């Protein structure tokens, strides 16, 4: 028998649909950019593979890359040093190492619902109880719901801005309120900022500003379009970073060396890359929202960040079944319930796809839904 903890978690509802892909399926399901990474990055990787990067590296990642990241995020907090930064093997693994370090049996952790698929199961795997907090009508964080969810057992709160799947972006008021709540109730903030570069309206409030009580998760998957390389990073206060690195050692010993060398070499081209793809994504966002709102019974709030639209629908079918039926029609999108119970009657449409595929994919959805 497998452990009770593993029995109690479900496989990802996003992957379930992805696994149904046919060769000609239109993929609006995955949170993966359809752009190739910058040439500088792939060239740097080839060079790294020819060096002695085949060896084990340091558990916390190569110092040069940690230093570059520390310099970059010190714009939010001048006290951040290289020693506050750890390279991980993805944002997902950064979350796992952090949750395992901070949470245990008897703890409650507030998680967004709808929210990214790993938060709740990763709490469960620590023995902690995930406590969902829902969003307001505009899909923004509902601060009242967070306050209502806090009990004597609450140990942490997971925040994700820009958000997957909601596409919302934290306001200054929400940012400050969450910092105050953390202070008042002695909570850890786990802030997932992997979409920080994809904000179309609003600005990024980073919990690096408030690192005393925060662990900030990040990743190169989205910001350099290298999701398959599995490299991410986190920043954490002096008091716990070495504890998280102990956990990281036991998960993977060290993050993959060649990709770290490559990302370190090409680090400075990230800004140009983002500047190049940002207007394309913004245009696709507008197209996606407009087309979804043309479907009878669909309502889509224009997302302010990330690269997902999260429309609601009014036909009588659970989102998991609707996503399966749409996959059979040739378009992959994610059921809202993959992101929590509050995601029911929603679909997540990723617009990290060509305009042509967005148009074709949403046309299939429209035909199916309007004839349902
Ligand atoms: C909000 C959020 N956090 C973290 C991740 C994980 O990114 P990765 O594990 O590829 O670094 C994703 C991926 O889709 C995400 O949407």
């Amino acid at each position: 028998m497998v452990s009770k903890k593993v029995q109690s978690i479900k496989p990802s509802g996003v992957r379930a649909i992805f696994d149904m892909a046919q060769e000609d399926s239109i993929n609006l399901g995955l949170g993966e950019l359809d752009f190739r990474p910058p040439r500088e990055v792939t060239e740097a990787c080839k060079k790294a593979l020819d060096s002695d990067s085949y060896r084990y590296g340091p558990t916390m990642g190569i110092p040069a890359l940690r230093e570059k990241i520390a310099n970059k995020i010190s714009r939010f907090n001048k006290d951040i040093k290289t020693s506050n930064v750890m390279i991980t093997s993805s944002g997902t693994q950064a979350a796992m190492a952090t949750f395992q370090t901070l949470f245990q049996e008897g703890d409650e952790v507030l998680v967004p619902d709808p929210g990214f698929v790993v938060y709740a199961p990763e709490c469960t795997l620590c023995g902690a109880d995930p406590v969902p907090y829902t969003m307001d009508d505009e899909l923004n964080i509902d601060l009242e719901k967070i306050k209502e969810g806090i009990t004597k057992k609450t140990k942490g709160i997971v925040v994700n801005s820009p958000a997957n799947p909601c596409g919302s972006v934290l306001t200054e008021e929400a940012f400050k309120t969450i910092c105050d709540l953390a202070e008042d109730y002695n909570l850890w903030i786990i802030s997932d900022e992997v979409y920080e570069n994809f904000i179309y309206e609003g600005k990024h409030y980073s919990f690096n500003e408030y690192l005393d009580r925060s662990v900030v998760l990040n990743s190169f998957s989205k910001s350099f379009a290298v999701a398959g390389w599995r490299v991410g990073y986190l920043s954490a206060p002096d008091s716990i970073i070495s504890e998280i690195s102990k956990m990281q050692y036991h998960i993977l010993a060290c993050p993959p060396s060649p990709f770290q060398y490559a990302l370190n070499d090409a680090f400075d081209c990230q800004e140009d890359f983002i500047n190049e793809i940002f207007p394309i994504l913004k245009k696709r966002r507008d197209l996606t929202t407009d087309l979804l709102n043309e479907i009878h019974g669909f309502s889509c709030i224009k997302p302010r960040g990330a690269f997902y639209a999260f429309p609601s629908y009014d036909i009588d079918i659970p989102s998991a079944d609707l996503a399966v039926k749409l996959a059979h029609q040739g378009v992959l999108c994610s059921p809202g319930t993959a992101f929590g119970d509050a995601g029911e009657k929603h679909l997540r449409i990723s617009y990290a796809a060509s305009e042509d595929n967005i148009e074709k994919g949403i046309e299939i959805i429209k035909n199916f839904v309007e004839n349902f």
Side-chain angles (χ1 to χ4, degrees):
M1 265 312 245
V2 298
S3 74
K4 286 209 175 75
K5 279 180 188 167
V6 169
Q7 281 181 48
S8 68
I9 59 170
K10 289 187 285 192
S12 157
V14 176
R15 285 271 155 173
I17 299 295
F18 182 61
D19 292 342
M20 292 177 66
Q22 309 285 325
E23 224 173 272
D24 54 351
S25 298
I26 293 174
N27 194 344
L28 306 180
L30 264 196
E32 182 172 57
L33 289 168
D34 61 322
F35 305 106
R36 280 191 61 79
R39 238 178 86 81
E40 290 92 323
V41 184
T42 46
E43 289 302 318
C45 186
K46 290 179 200 159
K47 206 173 101 199
L49 286 172
D50 284 336
S51 72
D52 62 357
S53 68
Y54 52 87
R55 297 176 184 281
Y56 283 125
T59 296
M60 289 186 64
I62 62 168
L65 182 58
R66 291 172 61 205
E67 189 180 345
K68 282 191 179 151
I69 292 167
N71 285 341
K72 188 171 172 207
I73 61 180
S74 64
R75 74 185 188 279
F76 298 116
N77 179 342
K78 61 176 179 22
D79 294 332
I80 290 179
K81 306 175 294 293
T82 303
S83 56
N84 296 111
V85 174
M86 183 169 99
I87 314 296
T88 62
S89 181
S90 78
T92 304
Q93 184 257 308
M96 175 64 92
T98 304
F99 284 35
Q100 289 287 337
T101 303
L102 296 180
F103 306 132
Q104 60 192 343
E105 275 80 5
D107 293 339
E108 290 177 355
V109 183
L110 285 158
V111 295
D113 180 5
F116 179 49
V117 291
V118 305
Y119 306 140
E122 287 193 3
C123 290
T124 308
L125 291 173
C126 305
D129 289 321
V131 176
Y133 66 87
T134 52
M135 307 295 136
D136 67 15
D137 293 343
E138 297 284 300
L139 296 177
N140 293 313
I141 285 186
D142 187 338
L143 293 167
E144 288 311 311
K145 290 285 186 318
I146 293 183
K147 288 178 197 162
E148 282 165 20
I150 297 176
T151 70
K152 286 204 172 73
K153 290 181 175 177
T154 311
K155 182 89 183 289
I157 166 165
V158 178
V159 185
N160 172 218
S161 175
N164 173 12
C166 292
S168 52
V169 174
L170 212 60
T171 60
E172 185 176 12
E173 185 210 347
F175 170 74
K176 286 192 173 147
T177 307
I178 292 167
C179 292
D180 290 345
L181 289 171
E183 190 72 38
D184 294 348
Y185 293 95
N186 196 17
L187 310 177
W188 282 108
I189 299 167
I190 314 301
S191 177
D192 180 342
E193 302 184 8
V194 305
Y195 297 104
E196 64 173 341
N197 296 303
F198 306 101
I199 298 186
Y200 315 104
E201 277 107 36
K203 97 169 230 212
H204 183 55
Y205 292 96
S206 172
F207 286 89
N208 276 308
E209 237 185 77
Y210 186 56
L211 203 64
D212 290 354
R213 284 193 179 278
S214 310
V215 178
V216 179
L217 314 177
N218 217 317
S219 171
F220 290 102
S221 293
K222 321 288 174 183
S223 62
F224 254 130
V226 289
W229 286 7
R230 313 309 295 137
V231 189
Y233 56 95
L234 60 80
S235 40
D238 295 336
S239 58
I240 56 161
I241 187 121
S242 57
E243 301 298 320
I244 305 177
S245 90
K246 265 195 318 203
M247 193 65 232
Q248 166 140 306
Y249 173 78
H250 289 288
I251 297 175
L252 83 157
C254 64
S257 299
F259 303 128
Q260 291 182 76
Y261 285 113
L263 290 162
N264 178 55
D265 264 12
F267 196 82
D268 292 337
C269 72
Q270 190 181 29
E271 209 176 311
D272 286 345
F273 177 61
I274 298 290
N275 287 341
E276 194 183 311
I277 65 174
F278 185 87
I280 303 173
L281 285 168
K282 191 170 179 199
K283 196 162 160 238
R284 292 174 180 180
R285 172 198 68 155
D286 296 341
L287 175 70
T288 304
T289 317
D290 290 347
L291 291 176
L292 287 169
N293 277 323
E294 281 172 16
I295 304 177
H296 184 73
F298 266 54
S299 169
C300 185
I301 290 160
K302 194 172 267 198
R304 289 185 295 131
F307 32 79
Y308 310 104
F310 199 59
S312 64
Y313 61 83
D314 69 357
I315 54 170
D316 191 18
I317 177 171
S319 65
D321 296 348
L322 179 56
V324 168
K325 288 194 183 299
L326 291 171
H328 288 139
Q329 300 291 314
V331 59
L332 307 176
C333 50
S334 305
T337 44
F339 306 94
D341 291 343
E344 189 50 286
K345 291 295 187 98
H346 287 76
L347 291 174
R348 188 195 72 174
I349 312 288
S350 165
Y351 50 86
S354 68
E355 284 187 30
D356 196 35
N357 275 352
I358 290 171
E359 279 167 4
K360 283 191 192 136
I362 297 181
E363 185 61 25
I364 295 174
I365 300 175
K366 185 175 161 72
N367 285 337
F368 181 83
V369 165
E370 292 185 349
N371 291 308
F372 184 73

